[in-house]
């Protein structure tokens, strides 16, 4: 007996349908991979902007809490009589000054007056390169004294790793004749 009305797929139809299904799956996985890559790039960008915001907030808070403090010696070297030198030091890639803002390490004790230095360089303990914030508690007569990274009163924070360029500009204010 010969069956005339057989229903089913031929081998050729099955191979073509599997090939089409394979192409659809490959395109779908490519889209997923593209989506994951875009998400990772977005997260990296958000992380970068968040770090920049934190750095800007720290610098702004510290600068807004500065007060003109004059020193009689700088890094242990006496300043000649009759000269007033402000406890402020800046160059193109670092900034050091005295502030009355709360230190990052504040635990409710000690003094709020401390030296701050933002600089581009290596963290003295971790050796990581980047933008560093140094906070040094001011003890009796130690304003703008030589910085010893191993002292308990000196703390370092890596604000941003692998920063390659930092440019600070300063404006000199000339005293007006009255």
């Amino acid at each position: 007996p010969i069956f005339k009305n057989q229903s089913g797929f031929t081998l050729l139809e099955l191979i073509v349908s599997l090939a089409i299904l394979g192409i659809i799956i490959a395109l779908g996985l490519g889209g997923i991979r593209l989506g994951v890559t875009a998400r990772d790039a977005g997260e990296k960008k958000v992380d970068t902007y968040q770090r920049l915001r934190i750095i800007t907030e720290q610098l702004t808070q510290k600068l807004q809490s500065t007060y003109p403090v004059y020193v009689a010696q700088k890094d242990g070297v006496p300043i000649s009589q009759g000269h007033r030198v402000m406890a402020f030091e800046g160059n193109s890639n670092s900034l050091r000054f005295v502030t009355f803002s709360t230190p990052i390490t504040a635990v409710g004790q000690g003094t709020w007056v401390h030296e701050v230095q933002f600089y581009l360089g290596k963290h003295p303990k971790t050796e990581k390169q980047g933008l560093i914030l140094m906070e040094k508690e001011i003890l009796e007569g130690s304003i703008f004294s030589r910085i010893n990274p191993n002292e308990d009163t000196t703390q370092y924070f890596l604000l941003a790793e692998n920063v390659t360029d930092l440019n600070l500009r300063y404006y000199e204010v000339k005293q007006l004749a009255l």
Side-chain angles (χ1 to χ4, degrees):
I2 297 179
F3 298 102
K4 290 203 173 211
N5 200 4
Q6 292 182 2
S7 62
F9 299 108
T10 64
L11 182 59
L12 183 61
E13 291 172 332
L14 186 60
I15 290 173
V16 169
S17 65
L18 286 176
I20 291 172
L21 183 63
I23 291 171
I24 291 171
I25 290 173
L27 290 174
L29 290 176
I32 290 172
R33 188 180 66 212
L34 182 65
V36 168
T37 303
R39 184 202 68 206
D40 290 346
E43 285 178 358
K44 187 174 182 179
K45 194 177 276 191
V46 165
D47 183 54
T48 300
Y49 285 123
Q50 183 71 4
R51 284 193 168 279
L52 287 172
R53 187 181 65 76
I54 290 169
I55 292 167
T56 304
E57 284 178 2
Q58 278 299 313
L59 185 57
T60 302
Q61 177 190 15
K62 302 291 184 195
L63 284 172
Q64 286 177 343
S65 299
T66 59
Y67 187 80
V69 175
Y70 294 92
V71 293
Q73 62 179 356
K74 184 175 174 193
D75 290 331
V77 178
I79 297 168
S80 62
Q81 282 288 14
H83 286 89
R84 289 177 44 161
V85 175
M86 188 179 295
F88 179 89
E89 180 179 84
N91 58 45
S92 64
N93 63 3
S94 74
L95 176 64
R96 182 179 174 193
F97 55 92
V98 175
T99 184
F100 289 84
S101 69
T102 307
I104 290 178
T105 57
V107 289
Q109 58 203 34
T111 179
W112 280 17
V113 179
H114 60 283
E115 282 184 43
V116 171
Q117 183 177 21
F118 288 88
Y119 68 94
L120 196 58
K122 281 187 179 177
H123 190 288
K125 292 182 173 66
T126 64
E127 297 291 321
K128 290 186 178 180
Q129 186 78 21
L131 180 60
I132 310 292
L133 166 64
M134 181 278 304
E135 292 182 326
K136 180 178 178 275
E137 188 176 323
I138 296 176
L139 303 173
E140 283 186 35
S142 69
I143 296 177
F144 261 58
S145 60
R146 194 166 305 280
I147 298 171
N148 181 356
N150 298 321
E151 288 181 357
D152 292 337
T153 59
T154 306
Q155 300 293 323
Y156 291 86
F157 303 94
L158 179 64
L159 294 174
E161 195 171 357
N162 297 325
V163 175
T164 57
D165 193 29
L166 175 66
N167 289 311
L168 301 170
R169 295 182 302 183
Y170 307 94
Y171 298 98
E172 184 177 337
V173 178
K174 305 235 184 230
Q175 188 172 3
L176 300 174
L178 299 176

